[in-house]
Amino acid sequence: MYARSTTLQAQLSALESGIAHVRDEVMPGIEGIPGCVGLSLLVDRHTGRCIVTSSWESEEALRASAARVNPIRNRAAEIFGGSPVVEEWEIAAMHRAHVTPEGACARVTWVKTDPSRIDSAIDVYRGHTLPGMEQQLDGFCSASLMVNWASGRAVSCSVYDSAEAMERNRMASAALRVDAARQARVEAVDVREFELALAHLRVPELV
């Protein structure tokens, strides 16, 4: 499974119209492309940072979709009022504890390591981080890991039932993150929290 993420620094005044556009126009347009498995939208209403992620059943489907996705992305960027930054990933892990409820939120952690250590980092995530999240973090809903093999970059997205649950587990999450980084020999480069405005990624269980 593969994914394409588009990060936008949106104008705060354009957030509601941008969210509506992704829901009503972008999602149907993307999901109509062969090989698309779904789409999600993360929104930070304080900073305007938004991340649209589409999932694809194969690398070939991801590549073949580029020409059709470009105009859809550009129109969304116009409505949000920000320039898009596009990244491509392989989805290395996905686990859902239960269905994502209305009002769910997500914590996203970006890490980097030597590309030669990506395999071991995935093993640590599957064997240590995912079980730790499910057992220790209040309101845990689901989590995924996406990797870029060439650059050694990876991103974990963990979803929680509510903003309140995510706030309550912030310290426990930080401790788990530090321990996982030590075991996997990765460096966390950024951690952000978002509202999960659209949750239709539909990636199957990958553990």
Side-chain angles (χ1 to χ4, degrees), residues 42 100-106 141 159-163 166 194-197 199:
L42 300 175
T100 304
E102 194 76 22
C105 291
C141 206
V159 176
Y160 305 95
D161 290 334
S162 65
M166 187 166 64
F194 297 87
E195 171 190 331
L196 183 55

Side-chain angles (χ1 to χ4, degrees), residues 41-206:
L41 171 62
L42 300 175
V43 175
D44 183 337
R45 293 183 181 273
H46 300 290
T47 67
R49 189 175 189 180
C50 301
I51 304 175
V52 182
T53 302
S54 55
S55 53
W56 303 87
E57 63 186 16
S58 67
E59 187 174 12
E60 291 74 19
L62 175 74
R63 300 276 177 255
S65 70
R68 292 180 62 179
V69 168
N70 284 341
I72 297 173
R73 178 193 304 118
N74 292 339
R75 177 57 181 152
E78 289 177 9
I79 292 176
F80 275 114
S83 299
V85 177
V86 181
E87 296 180 276
E88 295 181 348
W89 312 89
E90 182 175 345
I91 304 173
M94 166 63 77
H95 173 61
R96 294 180 180 87
H98 58 262
V99 175
T100 304
E102 194 76 22
C105 291
R107 180 178 293 117
V108 182
T109 302
W110 289 265
V111 303
K112 66 178 181 179
T113 189
D114 187 282
S116 66
R117 293 201 290 267
I118 287 285
D119 271 324
S120 61
I122 293 171
D123 289 342
V124 170
Y125 191 85
R126 290 174 173 169
H128 173 77
T129 307
L130 274 179
M133 287 179 179
E134 188 163 18
Q135 295 162 15
Q136 301 173 31
L137 302 187
D138 184 43
F140 175 81
C141 206
S142 65
S144 63
L145 177 69
M146 303 189 300
V147 302
N148 184 301
W149 293 90
S151 68
R153 297 180 69 247
V155 56
S156 167
C157 179
S158 53
V159 176
Y160 305 95
D161 290 334
S162 65
E164 293 76 17
M166 187 166 64
E167 182 177 357
R168 288 194 300 270
N169 71 39
R170 196 170 287 146
M171 291 183 64
S173 175
L176 186 62
R177 182 167 59 249
V178 169
D179 189 41
R182 177 187 56 80
Q183 289 193 47
R185 298 172 66 194
V186 302
E187 176 189 353
V189 295
D190 198 9
V191 182
R192 302 288 183 102
E193 295 180 347
F194 297 87
E195 171 190 331
L196 183 55
L198 293 171
H200 296 275
L201 213 52
R202 299 199 303 272
V203 176
E205 190 84 356
L206 296 169

